[in-house]
Amino acid sequence: MSVAIRGFSAAAAVALTFGIVTQPSGSAAQTSGHERADGNHSHQRVAVLVRPAKHFNELMRQAHQRIKHQQAVREAKAAKDSGSASGAAASTDGGFPSPESVGVSSSTLQAIAACESGGDPTAVSADGTYHGLYQFDYGTWASVGGSGDPGAASAAEQTYRAALLYSRSGSSPWPICGS
């Protein structure tokens, strides 16, 4: 059984437990027969579990993002392994304009990528906030026209979007690696 499946199985068990524990008091899951019959028992949520439930939902969102990222990496690797020389050239170009077309040198962006991610287009920061060659967060990625996970985009797209950001904001989005 893969790690992802075990993780989702455990998450489902926890979600089921939270679902039962957070049932409104007086629901069929938590009341005796005579309490159900009279129907006057108040329906209150267990406030103590609201915060853990939010934390759990955030962890599930992050796990989903990691799985999507891993699938994209596997698909990219499979495409690279099975691609011909002409297919490899098309994926390198990606149909995106060069950084120079927006007034940014490729060498500047290569230095930033090497510093930010070690040149890994699928890199994810330890806390899961920043993704890809240039360590975009989702808001910044969207602000330069990107959609989805920046780390799942091609290196050519990441470089183009980093060039757009650099042309708009200079090196300030990369306070350590851009200086």
Side-chain angles (χ1 to χ4, degrees):
M1 183 182 289
S2 76
V3 173
I5 293 173
R6 280 185 288 193
F8 275 125
S9 297
V14 170
L16 179 61
T17 302
F18 274 140
I20 292 170
V21 171
T22 60
Q23 287 288 325
S25 60
S27 70
Q30 293 185 342
T31 58
S32 64
H34 72 278
E35 289 173 332
R36 276 180 267 148
D38 69 22
N40 291 331
H41 202 266
S42 67
H43 293 270
Q44 298 176 356
R45 291 200 164 257
V46 180
V48 173
L49 294 177
V50 170
R51 192 173 190 191
K54 286 181 181 179
H55 180 69
F56 172 77
N57 288 335
E58 177 59 20
L59 290 175
M60 290 301 295
R61 186 193 66 75
Q62 289 175 1
H64 180 71
Q65 287 295 329
R66 282 190 206 109
I67 289 169
K68 282 177 44 180
H69 172 73
Q70 290 170 350
Q71 288 172 336
V73 169
R74 279 194 297 270
E75 289 170 6
K77 185 179 181 331
K80 180 181 175 186
D81 291 345
S82 67
S84 65
S86 63
S91 67
T92 312
D93 175 54
F96 290 94
S98 70
E100 285 78 8
S101 69
V102 291
V104 180
S105 89
S106 291
S107 61
T108 298
L109 293 178
Q110 287 173 349
I112 291 172
C115 176
E116 288 287 337
S117 66
D120 180 4
T122 62
V124 178
S125 66
D127 65 357
T129 303
Y130 303 102
H131 302 258
L133 279 168
Y134 303 95
Q135 295 293 281
F136 282 102
D137 64 22
Y138 288 109
T140 306
W141 179 248
S143 77
V144 290
S147 64
D149 182 4
S154 70
E157 179 179 2
Q158 290 181 46
T159 298
Y160 172 68
R161 304 223 180 272
L164 291 174
L165 181 61
Y166 195 95
S167 69
R168 180 176 74 192
S169 304
S171 64
S172 64
W174 302 280
I176 295 171
C177 295
S179 55

